[in-house]
Amino acid sequence: MSQRLPLFTRRHPDDTLAWRSDGPVSVRRFLAEAHALAARLPAGDWLLNVCSDRYRFAVGFVAGLLAGKTSLQPASQTTDTLADIAARHPGTCCLRDDDFAAAGELPCIDFPALTPSAADEAAAAEMPEIDAGRIVAILFTSGSTGKPQAQRKTWGRLVANAQAGADRLGLDERPMNIVATVPAQHSYGFESSFLPAFHDGSPFWAGKPFYPQDVTNALAAVPRPRLLVTTPFHLSTLLDAGIPLPEIDVILSATAPLSAELAARAEARCKAPVLEIYGSTESGQLASRRTTAGPQWTLLAGVSLTQSGDTTTASGRHVEGEVPLGDIIECLPDGRFTLTGRHADMINIAGKRTSLAWLNHKLCALPGVRDGAFFLPDTAPQRHITRLAACVCAPGMDRAQMLAALRPHIDPAFMPRPLILCDSLPRNTTGKLTRDALQALLAGSKKDA
């Protein structure tokens, strides 16, 4: 008989699970609403949960579990991506809480106003238990290096994932109230803002604040201690706004490398440690570091790395099997490691090698550049050499000025052709740039030329 694990650990029915604009929500109320929603879901095995409100996402996730469904959680929510996912999962139903036009032809359910019945209230008195081996969620890679890939997650491994992260952040001893700028559907948001509420006693703020004032208001709406779960892009935008911030106890960042300069700036401003989580959708969270303490990463308890040539594989504890990592990793004698690049980032032009991450660092360090990114366009069939392209947001500068500023810092082989000037880069909700978005920007620039 397979092991069964509770939906919540270290939780009393009257404990606060989430904070909403109308106040705290208890575990008991949450379960009653999940039972009420489960009764309204149609038949089928798949629930595409695109609710932007984190609390509604959580109710939908658990309602799906109670109704025997698996949660589909794409990081990208474009019409094409959702259509592809629906085609691979017949009978998919979309749960939404706003006018979600990208759902296309999918059957949709608008998140209803829930008034739990007496039966729902009675059912909420019992703690649900989930088979540890049951696939409860399918997460999808971001598409930053190609087509999003499905990653199946079992309940037992997700619980272990939450506990590993909690151990490292100290949430097992000191639960915190979580405000997150990343969506719950994304693997990082799922692991660091959703699962801790279920298994580490750390309630979350229901909203998904994006703009600096929204983040500030969300932080002020929850009591201390406060954990801000964010990305380098969102953190930089928050600090640049220069508005007064409520006290923050810990800042957690992921999805892209965080510079030591930005981390130091955040620590000085917020008087709180800035930590980074390293991992991937495929593997879950694997390691952490305090960015200002140096470039070395420390593995989470129970996780191990093995290497064969240039390939590093993660396994152990909550990792689903053995997962090859996309990064180039240098393992250190003390068990820690450093990241030296990404396999997908390495490029070779005219016999010269570099990484896109290094080029992006040089580009964004230029005075006047607010944001920018290099990328390698899809090669046109009639061409033998693909030139790098770059998108740059640098108000007040033209192409000639940008190229002149960049030329002293990089090899001529890597100079961008074309260089696309834009008001803002098409980053998604986690601050990432997908290949499709960059290709579309390049195509649009050619039409305008």
Side-chain angles (χ1 to χ4, degrees), residues 380-393:
Q382 69 273 20
R383 296 181 62 185
H384 299 289
I385 298 176
T386 297
R387 294 291 188 182
L388 282 171
C391 304
V392 186
C393 173

Side-chain angles (χ1 to χ4, degrees), residues 2 50 62 107 111 122 146 166 188 206 252 254 267 294 311 324 335 368 373 404 413 436 440:
S2 59
V50 298
V62 173
F111 195 96
Y188 169 45
L252 185 66
E267 289 195 351
T311 301
D436 286 348

Side-chain angles (χ1 to χ4, degrees), residues 283 286 299 303-306 312-316 319-325:
S283 66
L286 299 174
L299 290 168
V303 175
S304 62
L305 301 179
T306 56
T312 303
T313 300
S315 61
V319 181
E320 302 273 2
E322 296 184 349
V323 178
L325 302 178

Side-chain angles (χ1 to χ4, degrees), residues 43 85 88 104 154 160 162 169 171 179 192 200 243 264 279 294 296 358 411:
I85 291 171
R88 286 186 279 162
T154 60
L169 292 173
L171 299 180
V179 171
S192 298
D200 308 317
I243 56 180
Q296 296 83 15
W358 186 86
D411 189 281

Side-chain angles (χ1 to χ4, degrees), residues 384-419:
H384 299 289
I385 298 176
T386 297
R387 294 291 188 182
L388 282 171
C391 304
V392 186
C393 173
M397 298 182 72
D398 59 27
R399 287 182 179 82
Q401 291 172 315
M402 276 301 314
L403 291 171
L406 186 61
R407 192 167 287 113
H409 302 286
I410 67 173
D411 189 281
F414 305 126
M415 288 295 288
R417 301 175 179 86
L419 175 71

Side-chain angles (χ1 to χ4, degrees), residues 108-121:
C108 291
I109 296 177
D110 293 314
F111 195 96
L114 295 172
T115 305
S117 66
D120 296 327
E121 300 282 1

Side-chain angles (χ1 to χ4, degrees), residues 102-185:
E105 301 296 322
L106 277 173
C108 291
I109 296 177
D110 293 314
F111 195 96
L114 295 172
T115 305
S117 66
D120 296 327
E121 300 282 1
E126 259 186 70
M127 177 61 67
E129 290 190 340
I130 313 297
D131 190 318
R134 176 180 166 186
I135 296 172
V136 297
I138 299 179
L139 278 59
F140 293 82
T141 56
S142 65
S144 56
T145 58
K147 185 177 179 179
Q149 300 297 312
Q151 305 297 322
R152 291 164 172 78
K153 304 294 180 179
T154 60
W155 182 243
R157 299 285 179 146
L158 286 176
V159 172
N161 191 332
Q163 292 170 342
D167 291 346
R168 182 57 53 86
L169 292 173
L171 299 180
D172 51 337
E173 297 180 358
R174 188 196 186 200
M176 298 189 185
N177 294 295
I178 300 172
V179 171
T181 63
V182 289
Q185 290 84 355

